[in-house]
Amino acid sequence: MEQTSRRQGTRKIASLGLAAWVLLLPIALVSFGIWQTQRAAETLEHARRSSVELSTTLAQVKNIAASNPTAILTFQGAGEPTSLAALVAVSQIEEALSQANEELEISQIRRPLVWGTIGGAVLAFFGGAVGLMAAGISGIRARASQRQLITSFQRLRSLLPFILATVVIGFSIGVISATLFEAVSMGPWADFTTGSAKLFAVAVVLAVIAAYSAFMALRGLKDVFALFTPEPLVAAGRVIEETQAPELWRFVRSLAGRQHALLPDTIIVGLGQGFFVTESQLRLWPEDRLVTGRSLYLPAAYLDLLDQAEIAAIIGHELAHFSGEDTTYSQQFTPIYAGLWRALAALGRADGGRFVLYPAVKLGFHAMQRFDHAVAHWSRLREFDADRSGSLLATPADAASALIRTGIIAPAVAYVLQRAYAGSDDTTSDDAWPDLVAQTTELVTTNGWSDPMPLLGDRQPHPTDSHPPTIQRISALGVEIGDDLLRRAMRQPQPGARSFADDLFSDWAGLCRLLSKDFIDDARMMRDRRREVLEKVVAGASQETVVYDNVKPMIWTMVIVFLSGQLGLGYDEFAQSLIAAITAVGAVTSLLYAAFLYRGAARPLMVLTPDGLLASRLDRPIAWTGVAGYAVYASSRFALRLWLNQDASLPKKDWRAIYSKIDRRQRIVTLRALGIKGMKAADFSALVGRYHEAAYAREELAAAMPHPLPRDTSAGEIDGKP
């Protein structure tokens, strides 16, 4: 209940934030434009009235000056009356009239800008409102049926670029017009003060940024939505021709016929950790082969550990995705849906601080999230339907056993592949390539299975879809998770017994060795690349670096303070009599502190070695491998802060290091200084980072630690699900 309430609260906050950006911000911009309209009308009327009045007054004063140039004229202004000679008055009135005419021109220029502010804001509001309504309606309709999901998504996909462009253009026009309106008011023709000059500069900069952001945003929309074109998926495996495995093709063809499903165009076997089907283009490694049409992917280790009934249930599940609306779904929806998510993610990354693009990005993600609920809903139903279809080719108990057994096979496969990738089974003899599939079978034969119960809540991984938890899928089959089911799912492989895979392939052992060779070759190449990177990192921090405290600026400051105190004592007798003692003490203290700094300037502040950090105020060095993280601060006082691992030894500081601190509870060491001599804070942070990374790289090279799996060996499928 608490988690549900928290999720609901988070959704409400997200909805309020979306409404603020998409609706309330344009409304605020409209209100600002209305205020600008009132100001523009007032200044225009005032400028016109002033121009007319000054023109009339100038004509009258010129007539007087023509007849009597020395006549004294009295003018009543806002303050006291002013008396001027006629000729002087003519000059000043002409200047005032010129200024009034300039203000009139400025007012005439400003007036159309307010309509740009209001019109742009209204356009942005309209685009945002239409986008919210379209997303809401499409999301609701998408839950009606899987076909309606595809139809609604295709409509929204066609409308969304135009809606987002409307929001960007409207918001850009509104912001640019509003900032130009204010900038024109403070243009170079106005009487500048320091404050108005800064405001003018800020307004111009904002207008330029808004214009540039609008241009880049629209170009980004055009470029990013070109990412709709689905990219080929990547997998590791080998295409199995019918001549290589006639029994496999006969078996699959029989299952497809019994289901009235389409036969796959290509069957692929690899070391990946899951069954999957796809109708998208698939790029196969290591042959760099592009596969099109309907593809069925089979993981070799699973084939070796499942029996005929379980394999039939799983392949039947996959082939079910090649029948009915699933084919249309996988061809027309799934790849384009994933492409649109990639497009919006790229658009969000391309934002780069361009604020005019932010409301459009928020709206785009909201529209996709509305579909996510429908996609998850139909994905669950598709999985349950595919499970039922697969169970008809065997029994519901066989399908349930296959679900549990694939879950407990996964950790064994991951362990063997991880060990092989680390180089434990590396070999240079082409005739002695290890069989990783056989090793997986031997591992579970010797050590048994892991506890299946914690795995029942797992979801099958998938790049574009969601899977129900395994326990829900078994429940939907109407099978109870009892001792009989668990005993069947956790049966041990019989030593020396042939698996069903041996009957499906002409040379099952040879295929497994070939797949193993592909994997190990790639692992060796990835390890070599990783080793090169690590060696380069280590070479970048192989020598000691000595850094000194940057005391020179403080020394000069203290000397100036001392001299200032002495000057005050020499020229201000009154101050000398009142604060002589205080001034003398301060001056002497400053001089002594300067001498103290000068004396310590020759002593290194820190020594960065390949193994660790030596600080002059600590009783022992700090090993880089004991540092979990670090940060360099340079605000009020320069500081290096180190977060130590739990097993790292905490040093003790010297009593004279009054500004440094060691937090033993949080395991944080803070070393403060006046600065680093000859080095900026960012440069020093980069220097510490090089030594820190090099130490961990050296440790990894020495230990030959395992690395992440190469390429596509993770569990999961593309269009269908295991």
Side-chain angles (χ1 to χ4, degrees):
M1 289 294 293
E2 183 179 351
Q3 291 181 349
T4 302
S5 300
R6 188 180 297 110
R7 284 196 297 268
Q8 291 176 348
T10 302
R11 284 197 293 267
K12 288 180 180 178
I13 294 174
S15 299
L16 290 175
L18 176 67
W21 276 101
V22 177
L23 299 178
L24 297 182
L25 185 59
I27 291 174
L29 197 55
V30 168
S31 302
F32 187 67
I34 293 173
W35 179 53
Q36 286 184 331
T37 302
Q38 296 173 349
R39 292 163 54 200
E42 291 174 357
T43 55
L44 180 60
E45 180 61 28
H46 178 268
R48 284 175 176 171
R49 187 169 55 250
S50 298
S51 179
V52 171
E53 291 176 354
L54 287 171
S55 297
T56 303
T57 302
L58 179 60
Q60 294 173 354
V61 173
K62 280 185 175 180
N63 290 334
I64 296 173
S67 60
N68 186 6
T70 60
I72 302 299
L73 304 178
T74 302
F75 299 90
Q76 180 63 50
E80 296 294 329
T82 302
S83 297
L84 297 171
L87 288 176
V88 176
V90 168
S91 175
Q92 292 192 3
I93 293 172
E94 287 178 343
E95 183 178 351
L97 179 60
S98 176
Q99 185 174 352
N101 289 334
E102 286 182 358
E103 291 178 357
L104 180 60
E105 292 177 3
I106 294 171
S107 299
Q108 291 172 341
I109 293 173
R110 294 173 71 196
R111 194 167 189 180
L113 292 174
V114 301
W115 301 113
T117 302
I118 296 173
V122 170
L123 185 62
F125 179 85
F126 173 77
V130 170
L132 290 176
M133 287 190 296
I137 294 172
S138 298
I140 293 172
R141 288 182 175 177
R143 295 182 69 89
S145 68
Q146 191 166 256
R147 185 175 297 277
Q148 186 61 52
L149 166 66
I150 299 172
T151 302
S152 299
F153 175 75
Q154 288 175 337
R155 290 173 180 170
L156 183 67
R157 188 193 71 172
S158 300
L159 288 174
L160 193 59
F162 297 100
I163 292 173
L164 299 187
T166 300
V167 173
V168 171
I169 292 172
F171 193 42
S172 301
I173 292 174
V175 171
I176 292 170
S177 299
T179 51
L180 286 178
F181 179 93
E182 302 301 332
V184 169
S185 305
M186 302 173 291
W189 41 80
D191 293 332
F192 263 3
T193 62
T194 302
S196 65
K198 291 180 179 179
L199 289 175
F200 171 71
V202 170
V204 170
V205 169
L206 285 177
V208 171
I209 291 175
Y212 175 75
S213 298
F215 170 75
M216 296 300 294
L218 292 174
R219 194 176 75 172
L221 280 174
K222 176 180 176 295
D223 294 340
V224 165
F225 278 99
L227 296 178
F228 274 129
T229 304
E231 297 178 357
L233 302 165
V234 179
R238 295 277 180 168
V239 173
I240 304 300
E241 305 293 345
E242 190 162 359
T243 55
Q244 297 174 270
E247 291 300 321
L248 171 65
W249 277 92
R250 187 177 299 112
F251 181 65
V252 173
R253 187 176 290 110
S254 171
L255 297 177
R258 292 167 60 186
Q259 283 187 303
H260 304 289
L262 296 174
L263 187 70
D265 300 310
T266 307
I267 297 179
I268 303 165
V269 176
L271 292 183
Q273 298 182 29
F275 296 82
F276 70 80
V277 292
T278 182
E279 294 188 68
S280 302
Q281 288 186 340
L282 189 64
R283 187 170 297 282
L284 274 187
W285 167 88
E287 297 175 293
D288 194 22
R289 178 175 177 177
L290 188 64
V291 178
T292 59
R294 296 180 299 275
S295 299
L296 169 64
Y297 186 95
L298 305 175
Y302 289 70
L303 292 177
D304 207 46
L305 290 167
L306 296 167
D307 62 22
Q308 179 176 350
E310 291 167 335
I311 293 175
I314 293 176
I315 294 180
H317 170 109
E318 302 304 334
L319 295 180
H321 292 299
F322 287 151
S323 62
E325 293 184 350
D326 274 6
T327 298
T328 304
Y329 184 91
S330 60
Q331 284 181 329
Q332 300 182 12
F333 178 79
T334 303
I336 300 176
Y337 183 73
L340 183 53
W341 264 115
R342 290 196 305 271
L344 286 173
L347 189 63
R349 292 191 298 270
D351 181 4
R354 296 192 287 273
F355 57 91
V356 296
L357 187 58
Y358 193 68
V361 173
K362 294 277 288 185
L363 180 59
F365 278 115
H366 169 73
M368 292 299 292
Q369 287 165 357
R370 294 291 296 175
F371 267 94
D372 274 352
H373 301 295
V375 170
H377 171 72
W378 292 113
S379 294
R380 288 167 59 85
L381 294 184
R382 290 172 68 234
E383 288 311 300
F384 291 144
D385 288 342
D387 283 338
R388 283 191 292 270
S389 181
S391 69
L392 296 177
L393 300 177
T395 66
D398 292 327
S401 174
L403 286 171
I404 295 175
R405 195 164 177 85
T406 53
I408 59 178
I409 289 173
V413 174
Y415 174 81
V416 170
L417 295 183
Q418 187 77 12
R419 187 167 177 268
Y421 185 75
S424 301
D425 295 309
D426 208 350
T427 178
T428 57
S429 173
D430 291 341
D431 297 330
W433 288 107
D435 185 342
L436 301 181
V437 176
Q439 286 186 8
T440 305
T441 301
E442 183 181 354
L443 175 69
V444 297
T445 301
T446 305
N447 299 325
W449 301 101
S450 57
D451 183 5
M453 300 309 292
L455 303 175
L456 296 181
D458 290 351
R459 300 171 184 266
Q460 295 289 351
H462 192 278
T464 60
D465 247 331
S466 61
H467 293 70
T470 301
I471 192 171
Q472 291 184 13
R473 296 172 67 178
I474 294 175
S475 177
L477 290 170
V479 178
E480 181 182 354
I481 302 177
D483 293 339
D484 290 341
L485 178 63
L486 293 177
R487 190 179 304 110
R488 167 157 165 63
M490 298 182 66
R491 66 188 182 279
Q492 291 290 104
Q494 297 300 316
R498 286 173 57 87
S499 68
F500 181 58
D502 285 300
D503 299 330
L504 295 178
F505 294 85
S506 300
D507 185 8
W508 174 241
L511 175 62
C512 292
R513 284 194 297 272
L514 177 62
L515 296 175
S516 301
K517 179 180 183 301
D518 291 341
F519 183 90
I520 293 172
D521 282 344
D522 186 64
R524 181 183 297 163
M525 180 181 65
M526 297 296 290
R527 287 199 307 272
D528 290 342
R529 291 179 180 176
R530 176 68 176 172
R531 186 178 298 109
E532 290 176 3
V533 172
L534 293 176
E535 289 173 351
K536 186 177 295 185
V537 170
V538 170
S542 59
Q543 304 294 326
E544 290 186 354
T545 301
V546 181
V547 296
Y548 296 87
D549 202 349
N550 190 25
V551 299
K552 191 173 182 179
M554 182 59 71
I555 291 175
W556 279 109
T557 300
M558 293 299 100
V559 171
I560 292 172
V561 170
F562 173 77
L563 295 177
S564 299
Q566 295 303 308
L567 290 173
L569 292 174
Y571 290 97
D572 194 338
E573 295 181 0
F574 180 73
Q576 182 179 1
S577 61
L578 293 177
I579 59 172
I582 298 175
T583 305
V585 170
V588 172
T589 302
S590 301
L591 188 62
L592 291 175
Y593 184 54
F596 172 77
L597 293 175
Y598 180 78
R599 181 181 177 184
R603 181 175 55 191
L605 176 68
M606 303 175 195
V607 179
L608 285 70
T609 72
D611 295 323
L613 173 70
L614 289 79
S616 60
R617 299 304 186 188
L618 299 180
D619 67 336
R620 71 188 70 173
I622 298 176
W624 292 119
T625 52
V627 177
Y630 75 95
V632 174
Y633 302 93
S635 52
S636 58
R637 192 177 181 90
F638 188 92
L640 170 63
R641 182 164 295 172
L642 306 171
W643 285 266
L644 302 189
N645 296 321
Q646 289 297 322
D647 56 349
S649 176
L650 275 170
K652 295 180 181 179
K653 68 168 187 170
D654 192 287
W655 65 271
R656 291 169 293 180
I658 57 177
Y659 294 110
S660 297
K661 181 181 178 181
I662 297 179
D663 187 335
R664 297 192 173 274
R665 186 173 65 87
Q666 299 290 334
R667 303 187 64 79
I668 299 174
V669 177
T670 303
L671 302 173
R672 290 189 170 89
L674 297 174
I676 302 298
K677 184 178 180 181
M679 195 177 299
K680 296 180 179 179
D683 297 331
F684 179 68
S685 179
L687 177 67
V688 173
R690 286 199 297 273
Y691 278 93
H692 187 235
E693 293 174 5
Y696 278 98
R698 189 180 298 105
E699 186 178 63
E700 183 176 337
L701 285 171
M705 295 175 61
H707 311 305
L709 292 176
R711 298 188 185 259
D712 182 19
T713 57
S714 60
E717 61 170 307
I718 309 304
D719 294 335
K721 277 72 96 183

